[in-house]
Amino acid sequence: MAISDRVLVLRHGRLVAERLSADTDSDELAALMVGADVVPAKFVANTPGPALLQLRDVTTPTIGAAPGLQRVSLDLAAGQITGLAGVSGNGQAALSDLVSGLISPQTGSLVLNGGDIANWTPRKAITAGIARIPEDRHKTGTIADFDLTENAILETYATRFSHRGWLDWRAARDFAKTVIAGYDVRCPGPDTRIRLLSGGNMQKLILGRVLEQAPQIILANQPVRGLDIGAVTYVHEQLAKACARGAAVLLISEDLDEIMQLSDVIHVISEGRLSPGFARGSKQPEDLGAWMAGHGFDTPQTEDGHAA
């Protein structure tokens, strides 16, 4: 919009509209891209339930240039979206890996449903009802040459689709068909190689395989990165519905607008340190930006995140 004289809109491989930039706006273009008016997901203030997963003074090791967590305490409560804002590379990966079971605390502890966790692993995380939307849908979310059925059961084949060491492929295909139909994954069918899908449809398959398990905790790491406005709205709607059903959602995003729109409570991470929790609407973008730059962590804070 800033540098163009005219805009062409393609949808499903067809030219559907042409507009002079001066005669249109982002709302009209979004509607033309999707084929319908784009209505942002509605988020209401939720009353949080009990803490389902708690980090207590957790430290994790620094790995290469990726900082670990520095004595982080965090509660993920039922029916609440907890947003994590921060500049990329400030400990988000460590927190994501910790919740997923890929790493364990170096010091401190994890508490799940009131009980301490020992020997934390991805298998234990999945069994405990923790589901993840990974940061990179190509590298860690899918296997490119696997078909949609195989990708749909990647993280639950051993617990849901295996019987005495044998995979129930009929149940797996039925599950993939349910995800494809329920989450509008546009593809020829469940035998399609996932690398042939668009990024939005790939993300919808990941979202469906997560939400169809009715998880109690959802790790949503950059869930709408690289998606068009229609897919973004759809993903946000599904996260809101999961939260309304009582799931605890940890939303990690580098998009501050997304964090402020979706989150019931917001934390900022900087160099592995975690800020206090800020209630929705209690901070302006410039306030959170200052925390993202590292200001405030060395100043004593009151319980509402203000300087003491």
Side-chain angles (χ1 to χ4, degrees):
M1 295 293 289
I3 65 172
S4 65
D5 296 308
R6 65 190 181 111
V7 180
L8 306 180
V9 179
L10 294 173
R11 187 172 67 245
H12 304 314
R14 296 180 180 274
L15 178 65
V16 296
E18 180 177 348
R19 296 288 188 274
L20 294 177
S21 302
D23 296 337
T24 188
D25 57 29
S26 57
D27 290 336
E28 182 187 23
L29 293 179
L32 289 169
M33 290 164 61
V34 176
D37 289 338
V38 177
V39 180
K42 293 183 179 179
F43 290 85
V44 298
N46 297 305
T47 301
L52 302 181
L53 181 66
Q54 299 169 288
L55 281 64
R56 289 289 171 261
D57 216 22
V58 169
T59 297
T60 62
T62 294
I63 301 176
L69 302 179
Q70 305 297 319
R71 304 191 63 174
V72 165
S73 293
L74 175 68
D75 288 356
L76 300 181
Q80 186 177 70
I81 297 179
T82 300
L84 185 71
V87 178
S88 178
N90 272 271
Q92 295 95 324
L95 181 57
S96 174
D97 287 349
L98 180 71
V99 173
S100 303
L102 294 171
I103 61 174
S104 297
Q106 190 174 44
T107 61
S109 61
L110 292 175
V111 179
L112 182 66
N113 293 321
D116 287 342
I117 301 172
N119 302 317
W120 191 227
T121 65
R123 177 69 60 86
K124 284 189 175 181
I126 292 169
T127 303
I130 297 176
R132 64 175 190 142
I133 303 171
E135 177 180 8
D136 188 333
R137 55 182 167 267
H138 298 283
K139 183 178 180 181
T140 56
T142 59
I143 297 177
D145 282 324
F146 277 16
D147 62 31
L148 269 62
T149 296
E150 292 166 321
N151 275 285
I153 66 170
L154 271 183
E155 297 191 338
T156 54
Y157 70 90
T159 56
R160 180 170 176 177
F161 299 99
S162 178
H163 180 67
R164 295 182 179 179
W166 295 91
L167 281 174
D168 185 344
W169 285 109
R170 177 178 295 178
R173 280 178 58 85
D174 288 344
F175 176 70
K177 290 178 180 178
T178 297
V179 171
I180 289 168
Y183 293 83
D184 190 29
V185 181
R186 297 178 184 180
C187 62
D191 298 325
T192 305
R193 302 293 178 192
I194 200 166
R195 60 179 167 78
L196 301 177
L197 269 59
S198 67
N201 285 303
M202 195 179 295
Q203 194 75 349
K204 285 191 280 188
L205 182 88
I206 293 172
L207 188 72
R209 81 182 181 200
V210 165
L211 297 183
E212 282 298 305
Q213 308 292 338
Q216 64 169 348
I217 299 169
I218 300 171
L219 168 65
N221 193 350
Q222 315 295 342
V224 299
R225 175 181 283 168
L227 302 187
D228 65 71
I229 184 64
V232 167
T233 301
Y234 184 83
V235 172
H236 287 173
E237 287 175 347
Q238 298 307 312
L239 291 178
K241 289 179 181 178
C243 185
R245 290 196 298 267
V249 179
L250 174 60
L251 171 66
I252 302 176
S253 177
E254 294 162 21
D255 185 336
L256 197 52
D257 290 337
E258 181 182 30
I259 288 287
M260 296 184 72
Q261 178 194 357
L262 273 63
S263 306
D264 296 298
V265 61
I266 300 171
H267 292 268
V268 178
I269 193 166
S270 177
E271 297 180 345
R273 302 169 298 174
L274 196 68
S275 76
F278 308 123
R280 184 203 304 268
S282 66
K283 294 292 183 183
Q284 297 299 314
E286 55 269 24
D287 299 323
L288 297 176
W291 279 92
M292 290 165 66
H295 303 300
F297 285 93
D298 297 323
T299 303
Q301 304 288 318
T302 61
E303 289 185 359
D304 59 1
H306 291 93

